[in-house]
Amino acid sequence: MTAALTKARELHLVRRPRTNASPDDFALIETDVPEPGPGQVVVRNTHLSVDPYMRGRMDDRPSYIPPFPLDAPLEGSAVGVVVESRTPQLAAGQVVEHFAGLREVTVADAAAVSPIDVDGLPAEAYLGPLGPTGLSAWIGISELAAVQPGDTVFVTGAAGAVGSIAGQIARLRGARRVIGSAGSAAKVEHLRGTFDVAFDYHDGDVREHLEQAAPDGIDVVFDNVGGVQLEAAIGNLRVGARMALCGMVSQYDGREPYGVRNLFELVTKRVTTYGFLVTDHLHRMPDFRAEMTRWLRDGDVTYQQTVLDGIDRVPEALLSLLSSGAPITGKAVVRP
């Protein structure tokens, strides 16, 4: 074992929040790096993904993914470099991705680690536009809501890791008009180059914003937020509209659920609505990455990452993602 990697830090959940999550719910623990066994590799993680879904895993309740255990290293997507290998499948120096992140060093079976091609693209792109967030946008826009040429599309949470890519894919699929909402003036400004219309949902009535931006109605909604914004979107749908429901961040972190009051319009407007989890579509990752890689290299899709240095900043990044006015734009990444 390389001397520099005999010790490493990892993030643990030490208590479950009663309402809002707090930095005190986490602890940074220094541990011994175990010697790899046969068929294992040691990975020095270079970038860790921080995502809003992690807040749900802090609660001990049934969901689509198990809760984080207490007093144990936390999971998450990560990319890193193999520094020691006990398998012919992977060599030292290979850049890889895995789901045993939120720690500085990972020792894992080779089957749990996948090599990635970083030719011309930064490794951290595999956590954002080429990772699960990008796949979420691609599946929702391209296949579920199936944007068609001439459509008017509304994306909530449009400055986030998923929404910012969803809006650009909608344009590439032929959308006539792409509208995005965000949680601050700075985020709205960030969207102006890739969205036709962007607005701060704190600034006035959301339904009025949508009526002005799409006077003829909306064909496709890609929703990451729920609540008031989802209700406003439903109120401005065209007959035969499609909705892809990706997340409900307005209800995360102990917030009171919002009762959407106009659901009957889904009936009268004959709306097709898809709620989806990206984990059900991981088999499409190769097709998605082939197309997204081409878009990125050709400059058809751009992306932004907010990078925080130091594994101790993971809680800060997560709590910022849960606050609409926080300064995180695009994908939140921590460099441990």
Side-chain angles (χ1 to χ4, degrees):
M1 178 69 61
T2 304
L5 296 184
T6 57
K7 297 281 188 180
R9 296 177 298 169
E10 57 190 31
L11 201 68
H12 289 205
L13 183 68
V14 294
R15 71 177 188 187
R16 300 196 186 279
R18 292 185 178 180
T19 53
N20 303 107
S22 161
D24 295 334
D25 298 329
F26 301 91
L28 195 57
I29 306 297
E30 184 174 81
T31 64
D32 295 323
V33 177
E35 288 282 345
Q40 291 190 315
V41 292
V42 181
V43 179
R44 177 178 57 81
N45 295 321
T46 59
H47 297 84
L48 310 178
S49 177
V50 183
D51 301 281
Y53 82 89
M54 291 176 169
R55 172 59 185 87
R57 299 194 70 186
M58 295 173 70
D59 297 326
D60 187 10
R61 62 185 181 190
S63 186
Y64 66 92
I65 188 170
F68 285 137
L70 291 174
D71 303 309
L74 301 184
E75 294 178 326
S77 298
V79 295
V81 178
V82 174
V83 295
E84 186 173 353
S85 176
R86 299 286 178 86
T87 172
Q89 297 173 259
L90 294 164
Q94 174 70 61
V95 180
V96 296
E97 62 181 344
H98 60 83
F99 196 66
L102 301 193
R103 65 195 85 182
E104 293 175 323
V105 175
T106 296
V107 178
D109 294 339
V113 174
S114 300
I116 55 177
D117 178 9
V118 293
D119 182 23
L121 295 170
E124 59 267 32
Y126 284 81
L127 300 178
L130 287 170
T133 52
L135 176 60
S136 296
W138 187 81
I139 284 290
I141 290 291
S142 301
E143 299 197 350
L144 300 182
V147 168
Q148 303 296 317
D151 279 346
T152 294
V153 179
F154 174 46
V155 180
T156 66
V162 178
S164 59
I165 301 299
Q168 294 180 75
I169 296 175
R171 172 74 68 216
L172 290 167
R173 295 297 188 227
R176 177 179 63 86
R177 193 165 182 77
V178 183
I179 305 160
S181 66
S184 70
K187 291 180 179 179
V188 168
E189 188 61 32
H190 167 71
L191 296 176
R192 295 206 185 278
T194 52
F195 285 71
D196 295 295
V197 179
F199 63 88
D200 181 348
Y201 68 86
H202 297 109
D203 183 16
D205 184 86
V206 177
R207 186 156 182 170
E208 290 180 3
H209 280 293
L210 291 178
E211 289 172 349
Q212 292 174 9
D216 297 325
I218 296 168
D219 300 291
V220 169
V221 174
F222 189 101
D223 184 36
N224 298 292
V225 177
V228 173
Q229 295 190 65
L230 177 58
E231 183 174 89
I234 291 172
N236 205 42
L237 293 177
R238 290 165 54 85
V239 172
R242 292 92 67 203
M243 299 201 306
L245 307 182
C246 182
M248 294 276 170
V249 72
S250 67
Q251 297 183 20
Y252 298 173
D253 202 26
R255 298 185 182 97
E256 188 70 24
Y258 179 90
V260 175
R261 297 166 295 185
N262 57 352
L263 291 176
F264 188 59
E265 293 193 40
L266 301 181
V267 177
T268 59
K269 295 176 179 176
R270 285 84 87 195
V271 177
T272 304
T273 304
Y274 299 91
F276 73 101
L277 299 174
V278 69
T279 49
D280 293 333
H281 301 274
L282 294 178
H283 64 286
R284 299 302 314 281
M285 188 69 84
D287 294 332
F288 152 69
R289 281 184 168 169
E291 187 165 41
M292 180 58 72
T293 297
R294 184 173 69 253
W295 285 338
L296 290 170
R297 286 180 171 155
D298 291 346
D300 294 326
V301 171
T302 61
Y303 68 97
Q304 181 168 337
Q305 293 181 325
T306 299
V307 180
L308 289 75
D309 286 312
I311 191 172
D312 57 305
R313 300 189 72 185
V314 168
E316 174 190 344
L318 177 57
L319 299 184
S320 292
L321 286 172
L322 301 174
S323 173
S324 62
I328 288 186
T329 302
K331 183 74 186 74
V333 175
V334 168
R335 262 190 309 236

